[in-house]
Amino acid sequence: MTVRKHPEYLAKARHPAWESIESEWDIFPGMTNIRSINISKSGIITDQRTIAPVLPNLRSARLSGGFYPGSLECILLTSPDLAELHLVGVGEVQHVGKYRRTGTPTLIPFLDLCSSTPGRMPNLKILTLSREQTQSTLEPVRPALESWACFLRQYADQLEVLTLELERPSIFRWNDTDAQDAFMTHIVPLLKSGEFKRVKRIELLGAARLTPEDATQITAVLPSEVDFLWTPALSALDVYEYALDEFINFMSDS
């Protein structure tokens, strides 16, 4: 990597992006002026001894992949200026081998930490929480969304833009409605609570769907100018037809 040959570049970096940070974690302490970061795909941290608070001036972050326990805290909870956060299919891996990972990536420990210690993200305004389809076979959706709800309740009164996305029905699990059921149980009551007092836009994607009655009740307690984007809840027939279309597409691409 260029910065290893020219460490003087570290202090000038503002908006880096990585597909993996497994071998780059040790350069973070020198990147004190980073304002935004984008880490996609797999970002496993294999050496717990290298994890320390970094990025004190971070304002925007987009993360996906698996991280060693504690590393999300070091990346995201060091800067009080963090205003924009997108967590897309991201989680901490509880057991990491030298050459491979084991265990289930989960975001629950990080979200629970933020929920139990108020003020960790005092300037958070834009938030995306998104589960990838592959997560539905690894991490149970109900405890995950319960953790989402606790986290959202903690930051509801300061959020301005909120995007929630749940995995769509799988072509191999077409009758699985756990994601939508969990969303209705844990997230919809929070959206109806009126706690999102400053929100300007809410977007619900994937299996994060509503009945018209729920949408009406949520709209009634949101600020009058809010941009609220949602789709109707899937019936059993809708789920079957969607899964059938996905299967046909899968076979045609094979």
Side-chain angles (χ1 to χ4, degrees):
M1 188 174 181
T2 303
V3 293
R4 296 190 182 280
K5 297 180 180 179
H6 301 280
E8 65 274 14
Y9 292 170
L10 292 175
K12 299 178 181 180
R14 296 292 188 276
H15 309 284
W18 281 276
E19 287 192 355
S20 173
I21 60 170
E22 183 169 356
S23 60
E24 317 302 344
W25 182 266
D26 60 313
I27 71 173
F28 275 4
M31 306 178 80
T32 56
N33 288 317
I34 285 181
R35 299 297 189 269
S36 69
I37 195 167
N38 184 340
I39 304 173
S40 61
K41 296 185 179 178
S42 179
I44 297 296
I45 305 301
T46 57
D47 184 358
Q48 190 176 23
R49 294 172 300 175
T50 66
I51 297 177
V54 293
L55 312 182
N57 296 298
L58 188 65
R59 297 175 184 173
S60 174
R62 185 186 190 282
L63 305 181
S64 63
F67 293 79
Y68 201 98
S71 54
L72 291 180
E73 177 183 358
C74 292
I75 295 172
L76 299 175
L77 299 184
T78 304
S79 170
D81 300 321
L82 183 66
E84 183 172 350
L85 178 59
H86 305 278
L87 300 174
V88 181
V90 66
E92 293 184 337
V93 180
Q94 301 306 306
H95 304 285
V96 181
K98 185 175 182 180
Y99 301 108
R100 65 184 181 88
R101 69 184 185 187
T102 59
T104 301
T106 175
L107 193 57
I108 293 175
F110 174 73
L111 294 183
D112 287 352
L113 172 66
C114 296
S115 302
S116 62
T117 52
R120 299 301 296 266
M121 298 181 184
N123 290 298
L124 185 64
K125 299 290 188 296
I126 300 172
L127 175 66
T128 297
L129 295 176
S130 176
R131 280 171 58 93
E132 293 182 339
Q133 191 173 82
T134 54
Q135 286 182 277
S136 63
T137 62
L138 297 174
E139 180 187 46
V141 66
R142 292 183 183 276
L145 262 62
E146 185 176 3
S147 182
W148 279 24
C150 292
F151 177 80
L152 289 171
R153 186 171 290 108
Q154 187 66 247
Y155 294 94
D157 64 350
Q158 65 187 64
L159 290 176
E160 296 180 359
V161 179
L162 173 63
T163 302
L164 302 176
E165 182 174 15
L166 298 182
E167 63 271 22
R168 296 178 181 274
S170 166
I171 61 175
F172 301 111
R173 302 166 69 228
W174 62 266
N175 62 341
D176 184 0
T177 58
D178 274 0
Q180 185 170 306
D181 290 346
F183 179 77
M184 299 295 286
T185 299
H186 297 295
I187 305 300
V188 170
L190 179 60
L191 295 175
K192 293 180 180 179
S193 69
E195 295 183 44
F196 294 89
K197 302 182 184 301
R198 294 181 173 86
V199 71
K200 299 176 181 177
R201 178 184 175 88
I202 295 179
E203 185 170 10
L204 307 178
L205 301 171
R209 295 169 174 260
L210 300 172
T211 66
E213 294 78 12
D214 287 326
T216 299
Q217 294 174 24
I218 292 171
T219 302
V221 299
L222 292 176
S224 58
E225 301 299 321
V226 70
D227 188 8
F228 183 36
L229 305 177
W230 62 280
T231 50
L234 291 172
S235 67
L237 180 59
D238 291 332
V239 174
Y240 175 79
E241 290 178 344
Y242 170 83
L244 182 60
D245 289 341
E246 288 290 287
F247 180 75
I248 292 173
N249 293 333
F250 173 80
M251 295 301 294
S252 64
D253 293 338
S254 300

